[in-house]
Amino acid sequence: MDRIPSVDLKDFLSEDSNRKQKFIDEIGKAYQDIGFVALKGHFLDDDLVDRLYTEVRNFFNLPLEVKESYEIPGIGGQRGYVSFGKESAKGKKEGDLKEFWHFGQYVEDDEERKKEYPDNVEVKELPAFNKVGKETYRMLEKTAKYVLRALALHLNLEETYFDNYIHNGNSILRPIHYPPIVQEPKNAVRAAAHGDINLITLLMGAQGRGLQVQRHDGEWLDAIAEPDELMINVGDMLSRHSNNKLKSTIHRVVNPPRELWGTSRYSIPFFMHPISEMKLDVLDSCIDNENPKQYDDITAGAFLNERLVELGLIKK
């Protein structure tokens, strides 16, 4: 495979059963072969995307001391600002060449669930930043719900299997700024090779070179989306749950050529997480003689905590 497959969510949402099945088959095959698809037909419109990027640039252009005032201790970076170089990939000591922000779940109908998550952080200097962040979060969450419905059908589950697990789930919207590179990085890159923790990731800002996906033969493939596409990949939680039938693929963001070191890069992933008590036990339908159970039983909350420790965001 020399390019990331492209699919259109409008096929799945259509009243035509053949188009719907075509989408299920295409996304299922892509996630078994490479773990990534480019998705058209999502719920983000151009106006929302333009407003989001404007506000994200406005935030990262704030003075460092202002940004650092929104770095909240004791919550593992789950809300607010995370400063440059703080996060590193699993097994890598060098910090990634990035700073980022986290918007989290907006719980509206479950007081107990609300207590489980840290509050979202309001940037008083930029009131539109918080508003557009919430709008984007909702539209990406809606898009992810339908992608997971298609994957449920592909796994021979009820179409709405994931719905209750992702309602008020611990999902994160992460605007990332990769600043200009000012000196030769020793071993650091913008985002070192890693797999995502969650169920699926929806990525805005994959236009242009930088994001690379590792094929099964070990070669790296440029993952470049069209302007109207989101890049969507399987995370480790869904890979475990499906006994690796749906593959969580290693990916990275490489540094640009030296002539482009003076430029910033922005990307905005939405990490779709379930509620913490969801069991990630391997699905019975994904176990057979050729594919024995590969993973121990664990909940989503316990798995997330393990990984945040490995990433250096939570200290043991």
Side-chain angles (χ1 to χ4, degrees), residues 10-119:
K10 288 188 172 68
D11 288 336
F12 184 73
L13 298 174
S14 78
E15 299 295 318
D16 183 332
S17 60
N18 291 328
R19 284 181 65 191
K20 186 172 182 177
Q21 189 60 49
K22 173 176 173 283
F23 181 88
I24 295 165
D25 293 343
E26 287 177 348
I27 199 169
K29 184 177 189 307
Y31 284 158
Q32 287 179 223
D33 291 347
I34 189 69
F36 271 72
V37 295
L39 182 92
K40 299 181 187 295
H42 49 76
F43 294 101
L44 295 175
D45 62 41
D46 291 344
D47 174 66
L48 178 57
V49 172
D50 289 345
R51 286 188 289 124
L52 177 67
Y53 275 103
T54 296
E55 291 304 319
V56 164
R57 290 189 187 94
N58 287 344
F59 174 77
F60 288 116
N61 284 334
L62 289 171
L64 181 59
E65 60 270 20
V66 175
K67 291 186 288 188
E68 287 181 335
S69 72
Y70 293 109
E71 195 157 18
I72 312 299
I75 61 169
Q78 290 300 286
R79 301 291 184 274
Y81 179 63
V82 177
S83 52
F84 184 81
K86 276 275 178 76
E87 185 180 68
S88 57
K90 179 180 175 180
K92 193 168 171 68
K93 63 181 185 295
E94 295 85 8
D96 288 343
L97 305 178
K98 68 188 182 194
E99 57 179 343
F100 55 91
W101 179 271
H102 274 157
F103 297 101
Q105 184 60 263
Y106 300 88
V107 180
E108 292 177 344
D109 57 0
D110 186 337
E111 285 305 312
E112 288 306 305
R113 185 74 62 195
K114 203 170 194 173
K115 293 174 192 171
E116 183 182 334
Y117 302 144
D119 291 335

Side-chain angles (χ1 to χ4, degrees), residues 59 72 80 108 121 138 148 152 162 165 180 208 228 238 251 271 312:
F59 174 77
I72 312 299
E108 292 177 344
V121 179
R138 289 292 194 218
L148 285 173
F162 289 103
Y165 294 127
D228 62 342
L238 186 55
H251 51 286
F271 300 111

Side-chain angles (χ1 to χ4, degrees), residues 255-274:
N255 296 334
R258 186 177 285 268
E259 62 269 20
L260 296 177
W261 276 12
T263 60
S264 284
R265 177 187 172 95
Y266 297 91
S267 67
I268 306 175
F270 177 78
F271 300 111
M272 170 59 88
H273 282 264

Side-chain angles (χ1 to χ4, degrees), residues 80-191:
Y81 179 63
V82 177
S83 52
F84 184 81
K86 276 275 178 76
E87 185 180 68
S88 57
K90 179 180 175 180
K92 193 168 171 68
K93 63 181 185 295
E94 295 85 8
D96 288 343
L97 305 178
K98 68 188 182 194
E99 57 179 343
F100 55 91
W101 179 271
H102 274 157
F103 297 101
Q105 184 60 263
Y106 300 88
V107 180
E108 292 177 344
D109 57 0
D110 186 337
E111 285 305 312
E112 288 306 305
R113 185 74 62 195
K114 203 170 194 173
K115 293 174 192 171
E116 183 182 334
Y117 302 144
D119 291 335
N120 274 301
V121 179
E122 298 286 318
V123 178
K124 59 182 182 292
E125 291 85 358
L126 300 169
F129 176 75
N130 302 97
K131 181 174 182 293
V132 76
K134 183 175 182 178
E135 286 181 55
T136 305
Y137 188 105
R138 289 292 194 218
M139 291 300 100
L140 288 169
E141 188 174 47
K142 183 178 179 181
T143 301
K145 178 176 78 171
Y146 288 104
V147 171
L148 285 173
R149 284 186 176 184
L151 295 178
L153 291 169
H154 177 70
L155 294 170
N156 298 313
L157 302 168
E158 289 290 328
E159 181 172 339
T160 56
Y161 170 82
F162 289 103
D163 283 22
N164 286 334
Y165 294 127
I166 62 174
H167 177 64
N168 286 330
N170 194 17
S171 299
I172 293 284
L173 177 64
R174 174 189 279 192
I176 302 172
H177 175 222
Y178 303 102
I181 297 171
V182 294
Q183 62 186 34
E184 181 79 44
K186 289 185 178 153
N187 293 308
V189 294
R190 284 183 158 176

